[in-house]
Amino acid sequence: DGGITQSPKYLFRKEGQNVTLSCEQNLNHDAMYWYRQDPGQGLRLIYYSQIVNDFQKGDIAEGYSVSREKKESFPLTVTSAQKNPTAFYLCASTPGANEQFFGPGTRLTVL
Amino acid sequence: AQKVTQAQTEISVVEKEDVTLDCVYETRDTTYYLFWYKQPPSGELVFLIRRNSFDEQNEISGRYSWNFQKSTSSFNFTITASQVVDSAVYFCALSRGFGAGGYNKLIFGAGTRLAVHP
């Protein structure tokens, strides 16, 4: 089945830890995106990548980092510099036709 | 600057009622795209529709219909004869057209939570 997978589904982080959220797609899409969703709010763009080995900051990139070494993979690292990381994280990809296809999400909680 | 406003935070209806979700957008671009997504309790966003700025025809898909009016910068979504399975958060989103800076970046509204009761 073609689609976007995110892992883990739930993630718990201690204060001061870096954690990495996985996003993989087998849709052969060029562009990939990371969004953050807080309760009762819309999605906000963290980072996006339109091609391998290239990525740009979104609206709320501080405290996050990404890499795009392979077309299929776009992992997001939440660093200790992100002061309020508890949120729902969604990964998306698009073939360039504008509609984005989303993964099932990772719910991150800071203990 | 681009912005999407969904003024209705929550809507509650009884099954079989019709319901309209409002979406108002702001953009200076002449070419842009509008979207609706559904987010069920599972959390994954489900794509419903994309509309480009040059196509103002209304669209109907089963019980769903969309009314795009450039004159009022609105892209409203109507569910006819609502069902319990329609209960979800619905997001309206906007993106710039091809060639514009930030191509494909989606600007989301805050969402409208729809609860359909039996």
Side-chain angles (χ1 to χ4, degrees):
Chain A
D1 273 22
I4 302 174
T5 57
Q6 291 186 241
S7 62
K9 186 173 182 179
Y10 299 96
L11 184 59
F12 299 91
R13 192 194 92 169
K14 294 181 180 179
E15 296 272 356
Q17 269 186 341
N18 290 358
V19 291
T20 297
L21 284 59
S22 168
C23 177
E24 304 278 332
Q25 55 98 0
N26 60 5
L27 300 168
N28 200 33
H29 289 172
D30 287 316
M32 297 185 74
Y33 305 79
W34 273 106
Y35 292 91
R36 170 181 171 141
Q37 184 180 21
D38 293 285
Q41 297 189 31
L43 281 68
R44 292 182 291 167
L45 182 64
I46 304 172
Y47 267 98
Y48 65 105
S49 167
Q50 296 194 1
I51 197 170
V52 174
N53 292 323
D54 185 55
F55 48 83
Q56 285 81 40
K57 293 182 179 180
D59 301 317
I60 55 165
E62 185 175 351
Y64 300 97
S65 66
V66 293
S67 63
R68 186 83 187 279
E69 298 176 2
K70 298 186 300 181
K71 189 175 186 178
E72 303 79 23
S73 179
F74 191 39
L76 173 74
T77 297
V78 184
T79 74
S80 56
Q82 170 51 239
K83 298 307 178 189
N84 186 22
T86 294
F88 188 52
Y89 291 86
L90 284 157
C91 178
S93 70
T94 178
N98 285 87
E99 57 260 46
Q100 294 182 14
F101 299 87
F102 284 81
T106 293
R107 197 166 298 277
L108 173 63
T109 303
V110 174
L111 301 174
Chain B
Q2 298 188 303
K3 184 179 179 182
V4 176
T5 301
Q6 294 180 257
Q8 303 151 308
T9 305
E10 293 189 29
I11 300 176
S12 181
V13 300
V14 176
E15 214 170 13
K16 297 184 183 178
E17 282 187 39
D18 298 347
V19 57
T20 295
L21 309 181
D22 297 332
C23 173
V24 174
Y25 63 93
E26 296 175 28
T27 181
R28 294 179 183 175
D29 293 341
T30 54
T31 303
Y32 52 89
Y33 295 88
L34 294 163
F35 304 81
W36 276 95
Y37 283 88
K38 174 182 180 179
Q39 186 177 42
S42 63
E44 184 170 348
L45 262 71
V46 177
F47 167 75
L48 296 177
I49 190 171
R50 178 187 69 159
R51 175 66 65 202
N52 75 56
S53 52
F54 295 107
D55 184 0
E56 286 194 73
Q57 284 190 350
N58 291 335
E59 174 118 0
I60 298 174
S61 176
R63 296 184 297 106
Y64 295 170
S65 62
W66 290 269
N67 182 5
F68 175 31
Q69 292 194 343
K70 287 178 75 170
S71 61
T72 56
S73 296
S74 65
F75 187 43
N76 296 338
F77 173 31
T78 297
I79 301 175
T80 302
S82 60
Q83 300 176 2
V84 173
V85 294
D86 296 327
S87 297
V89 180
Y90 291 86
F91 290 98
C92 182
L94 167 70
S95 77
R96 309 188 74 181
F98 180 75
Y103 169 58
N104 268 349
K105 287 174 60 178
L106 288 176
I107 308 298
F108 283 86
T112 296
R113 181 175 299 277
L114 174 64
V116 181
H117 303 284

